[in-house]
Amino acid sequence: MTREEPAAPSRVDLADPGIFERDAARHLFAQLRQEHPIWWNPGTDGRGFWSVLRYRDIVAVSKNPRLFSSARHQGGHRIHDEVDAEITQGLEASMLSMDPPEHNTHRGMVAPAFTPERIRGLEARIRARVTSLLDRIAHQGECEFVSSVAAELPIQVIAELLGVPQEDRLRLFEWSNALIGEDDPDMRKSAGHIRQCSKDMGIYALKLWRERLRRPGDDLVSMLAGTEIDGEVMSIPRYFATFFLLVIAGNESVRNSISGGLLALSQHPAQRRRLIEEPTLIPLAAKEIIRWVSPFLHMRRTATEDTVLSGQPIAKGDKVVLWYISGNFDEEVFEHPERFDVARSGVPHLGFGQGQHYCLGWRLAELQLTVLFQELLRRFPDMEPCGQVRRVRSNFVNGIKELPVRFTPER
Ligand code: HEM
């Protein structure tokens, strides 16, 4: 098929991580959505990619894994194949990079850890963790919010879920940062460092697996070690991939939602006042925070056949990038998408994706955000940024790496 590319702004490259580091994407996406809702981005790797920018087109692609594959052999789940290949070797066999029917089987093995009852059962311990994190900063009156709170909570929670001793949680944190932050010089120290992190995490995961085979507990690694697929136990490469996926997916996204949420609340004081006065809105606000932040900026698919998407021909083998950060601000679907509205309800946001790969950890993510903001707004209602906000340089995660804050200390 000959590619028919719509005329497009020639100088914009959406793969440029600088756009997101400068927080310049929203305006750019709004313009592109109007003019080129399915836009061919020539790219720098000689292949280019389609950028899917409208809510309805993102949903259509996400719900059609037969035509739009997530599979590893098609190139992976991020814009550049080679980034996937080098950095996420560990994710090779993860469910994120599978299509049905294989995907359904693997998802089914991990899903029992994320049922509503199991997640509800974590609430009291999450609250205790939040309380202890806030106790640590309570008398200071100021702190660096990402390292003190936003990063700590999800890494503690994922460590608990996996059965990783809390004293090892910072290792998970370092590995996860290195594997996902390849475009940010503060996070990616060198290619060698990244390979080492991937190797270390594999060794660690294997040790844990062996321990749990000997002495199973009530954690996710024990569950995976005891799982069978079609009568066979889970293979080690598949287990590695699942371990890597959970550490990365469960860590970066929640961290960035917490820090992005705090920033959004301080930029919209009337909304923050409303939440303080009506704390029952906090679970709804958690959803709005995820829409607003869009912690994963995109996921990618690959067309398996020549096809047409909303009138735009797409050729077999083309990369198709779903920009959640654009779909989440689509004025065709959301009323006043540019308003941060803690009581917004109705159309579900795309922050957790849609369809076949819809986020398995969504309940856990919302619970962490809800508990965190319940406790934080009660104890430190005036917490606000007091210095330079430093964003992560990445076209994949919408991250904040430094957020200095001040607040009235507790007596
Ligand atoms: C605010 C927090 C989170 C956001 C924004 C988020 C976002 C996403 C998105 C967009 C996908 C879909 C990928 C695709 O369509 O290709 C996804 C998948 C996934 N997420 Fe999350 N996630 C969050 C938290 C979590 C947590 C806490 C966990 C677990 C500890 C988790 C585990 C997973 C898993 C296992 C998948 C793969 C599902 C599949 O392939 O079927 N996520 N997430």
Side-chain angles (χ1 to χ4, degrees):
M1 183 191 230
T2 331
R3 188 177 298 114
E4 292 168 45
E5 296 161 20
S10 55
R11 281 200 295 272
V12 179
D13 178 9
L14 293 180
D16 171 9
I19 295 175
F20 307 95
E21 187 182 23
R22 295 190 300 277
D23 200 13
R26 290 205 187 135
H27 180 70
L28 178 62
F29 279 119
Q31 192 189 342
L32 282 173
R33 242 184 346 265
Q34 296 305 321
E35 295 167 5
H36 312 280
I38 302 175
W39 177 50
W40 179 253
N41 194 119
T44 50
D45 65 350
R47 275 189 68 194
F49 56 92
W50 292 106
S51 277
V52 180
L53 302 169
R54 272 191 310 223
Y55 187 101
R56 61 177 143 128
D57 294 324
I58 295 173
V59 172
V61 171
S62 306
K63 289 192 169 168
N64 196 340
R66 193 188 61 75
L67 267 182
F68 298 102
S69 166
S70 292
R72 171 76 186 173
H73 64 267
Q74 302 276 8
H77 60 278
R78 298 176 59 175
I79 290 178
H80 295 304
D81 304 10
E82 66 279 14
V83 171
D84 280 335
E86 184 189 345
I87 289 159
T88 54
Q89 307 161 35
L91 292 178
E92 195 166 338
S94 98
M95 72 180 96
L96 199 60
S97 308
M98 284 179 192
D99 291 331
E102 198 189 15
H103 173 259
N104 300 335
T105 315
H106 281 269
R107 188 173 162 111
M109 287 175 17
V110 186
F114 294 92
T115 58
E117 303 71 49
R118 264 194 98 106
I119 299 305
R120 263 199 307 276
L122 297 174
E123 179 170 345
R125 289 204 299 285
I126 291 178
R127 197 171 299 279
R129 292 194 183 287
V130 168
T131 301
S132 123
L133 287 173
L134 296 183
D135 284 349
R136 271 195 245 163
I137 59 163
H139 304 291
Q140 295 172 6
E142 55 181 56
C143 71
E144 197 290 290
F145 186 73
V146 177
S147 52
S148 310
V149 180
E152 271 289 338
L153 179 65
I155 202 70
Q156 289 186 11
V157 170
I158 196 70
E160 176 181 331
L161 211 70
L162 289 166
V164 168
Q166 288 296 327
E167 59 271 23
D168 289 345
R169 72 186 188 285
L170 295 181
R171 303 177 72 190
L172 295 186
F173 181 73
E174 188 198 348
W175 296 331
S176 161
N177 276 351
L179 292 174
I180 211 158
E182 75 280 356
D183 284 322
D184 191 297
D186 289 345
M187 291 161 88
R188 178 183 194 162
K189 310 230 163 50
S190 69
H193 176 69
I194 235 167
R195 270 190 291 276
Q196 192 58 46
C197 285
S198 175
K199 202 170 142 202
D200 291 348
M201 185 141 108
I203 294 170
Y204 189 90
L206 187 60
K207 186 174 131 267
L208 211 59
W209 166 274
R210 291 200 174 119
E211 278 171 17
R212 293 302 181 275
L213 273 181
R214 275 199 307 275
R215 265 181 294 122
D218 183 30
D219 55 69
L220 227 144
V221 172
S222 303
M223 200 184 97
L224 297 176
T227 304
E228 293 188 359
I229 315 176
D230 299 332
E232 285 184 39
V233 289
M234 193 182 222
S235 69
I236 293 289
R238 291 246 190 274
Y239 159 68
F240 278 164
T242 310
F243 187 91
F244 279 37
L245 174 61
L246 290 170
V247 170
I248 295 173
N251 174 23
E252 307 284 333
S253 53
V254 179
R255 174 199 323 171
N256 292 324
S257 311
I258 294 174
S259 44
L262 182 70
L263 193 59
L265 287 170
S266 37
Q267 288 164 342
H268 301 85
Q271 295 296 310
R272 176 161 61 184
R273 257 194 316 280
R274 187 160 181 203
L275 272 193
I276 293 166
E277 283 158 16
E278 288 178 73
T280 52
L281 284 178
I282 293 177
L284 214 49
K287 294 182 195 294
E288 176 67 345
I289 286 172
I290 293 167
R291 179 190 77 89
W292 188 258
V293 175
S294 300
F296 287 117
L297 295 160
H298 78 261
M299 290 284 168
R300 171 203 156 180
R301 305 291 188 257
T302 305
T304 58
E305 291 173 18
D306 287 356
T307 184
V308 176
L309 178 65
S310 286
Q312 175 60 54
I314 291 182
K316 178 177 177 177
D318 279 355
K319 299 182 192 179
V320 177
V321 173
L322 310 175
W323 288 103
Y324 301 131
I325 179 119
S326 174
N328 276 339
F329 287 82
D330 188 344
E331 36 295 283
E332 205 176 83
V333 178
F334 294 100
E335 218 172 295
H336 296 297
E338 76 295 348
R339 288 189 195 157
F340 177 69
D341 175 1
V342 293
R344 186 183 291 278
S345 60
V347 189
H349 64 73
L350 295 176
F352 290 127
Q354 265 278 340
Q356 185 72 28
H357 291 271
Y358 189 79
C359 177
L360 200 50
W362 72 272
R363 286 191 191 88
L364 181 60
E366 285 189 359
L367 180 63
Q368 290 182 70
L369 281 174
T370 299
V371 173
L372 187 277
F373 283 107
Q374 283 170 342
E375 298 299 322
L376 187 138
L377 291 174
R378 190 173 59 74
R379 293 177 63 177
F380 309 109
D382 62 353
M383 185 181 277
E384 61 174 19
C386 64
Q388 198 200 351
V389 179
R390 292 186 66 222
R391 308 188 70 85
V392 176
R393 185 176 165 77
S394 168
N395 64 24
F396 188 60
V397 291
N398 194 13
I400 294 178
K401 53 186 176 186
E402 267 176 41
L403 178 59
V405 294
R406 70 170 156 241
F407 48 92
T408 306
E410 279 176 353
R411 291 175 188 280

